Amino acid sequence: MTCNMIKTDKLCKVFSTDEIETHALTNVNFTVKKGEFVAVMGPSGCGKSTLLNIIGLLDNPTSGSYMLFGHEVAGLRESGRTKFRKGRIGFVFQSFNLIDELTVEQNVELPLTYLGLPAAERRRRVERMLERVRISHRRKHLPAQLSGGQQQRVAVARALITEPELILADEPTGNLDSKNGREVMELLSELNADGTTIVMVTHSERDAAYAHRIVNLFDGCIISEVTCG
């Protein structure tokens, strides 16, 4: 039986300053089933990245419910959010966020050191993952020695190395040309076909077409959902 991995109910996020309140999300009801690939689209400033940050436990909602992996997580403190997502959620960002001083294999290995895995197990997982994303021939290179597409493949490998249940991608092809962007999207599609759940924020209709479902946001509200394929 397919179950909801993500379920929000009347989710709201308000950013407040002394002068103004900005309602980034308003009464968002959003679900993602285990094994789904969902794209979130909308104009700049509509709340896409805010929603992704809350889903990834990088931030808390102001109000509403958020069930993740069957647990209510909306009220967790930062330490609790960090512990809960550790090893279970992988992130892929537009800007790659690789560490310049580390080689490809060291960048990919880094999340495993935080999990305390033995060195031999870390090496085995890294070798297998670099082959999976077709970047093992660049294992000793630094990020600056790679193309944009290669850097993003390293970023995807790093996100996957802990074998997470959920991948969150924020404009994963935003800094890539069309060829490299297509390769990254095909890689994400392959990973989803292997069972990884993916939620992706994108401006690109071409990228969104890889998803099973497209959710459209406008002014912090879900205005429509479209099933693909």
Side-chain angles (χ1 to χ4, degrees), residues 108-153:
V108 174
E109 182 184 13
L110 193 59
L112 297 179
T113 64
Y114 298 141
L115 295 180
L117 292 181
E121 172 67 8
R122 296 200 307 268
R123 285 194 297 272
R124 184 185 68 80
R125 284 206 197 183
V126 169
E127 183 175 350
R128 185 176 62 188
M129 185 57 63
L130 293 180
E131 290 176 359
R132 187 177 187 184
V133 301
R134 300 181 288 277
I135 200 70
S136 57
H137 62 296
R138 298 284 191 174
R139 61 191 311 132
K140 298 296 184 183
H141 287 65
L142 297 173
Q145 297 171 304
L146 306 177
S147 70
Q150 289 171 334
Q151 289 186 61
Q152 192 60 296
R153 276 189 273 161

Side-chain angles (χ1 to χ4, degrees), residues 50-94:
T50 299
L51 178 60
L52 203 70
N53 285 342
I54 291 174
I55 290 171
L57 301 179
L58 300 176
D59 198 4
N60 268 342
T62 304
S63 62
S65 170
Y66 174 25
M67 300 289 292
L68 178 63
F69 308 130
H71 298 272
E72 177 60 65
V73 295
L76 289 179
R77 296 185 179 185
E78 184 174 357
S79 59
R81 297 198 308 269
T82 300
K83 185 177 180 180
F84 194 88
R85 70 173 178 261
K86 191 175 183 180
R88 305 182 80 182
I89 303 176
F91 296 88
V92 179
F93 300 99
Q94 176 179 347

Side-chain angles (χ1 to χ4, degrees), residues 31-44:
T31 61
V32 177
K33 296 184 185 302
K34 182 178 174 62
E36 245 193 320
F37 188 163
V38 177
V40 180
M41 299 192 74
S44 296

Side-chain angles (χ1 to χ4, degrees), residues 8 10-15 22-30 40-51 54 215-224:
T8 74
K10 296 180 180 177
L11 198 74
C12 297
K13 181 65 178 181
V14 180
F15 295 102
T22 301
H23 292 257
L25 298 172
T26 304
N27 293 328
V28 170
N29 298 323
F30 179 72
V40 180
M41 299 192 74
S44 296
C46 73
K48 300 187 302 297
S49 291
T50 299
L51 178 60
I54 291 174
V215 175
N216 289 291
L217 276 180
F218 187 77
D219 286 350
C221 301
I222 293 179
I223 59 169
S224 67

Side-chain angles (χ1 to χ4, degrees), residues 192-213:
N192 175 248
D194 289 341
T196 304
T197 306
I198 300 176
V199 178
M200 175 182 67
V201 160
T202 182
H203 281 101
S204 167
E205 293 184 3
R206 181 194 63 204
D207 290 356
Y210 285 87
H212 302 150
R213 183 161 51 96

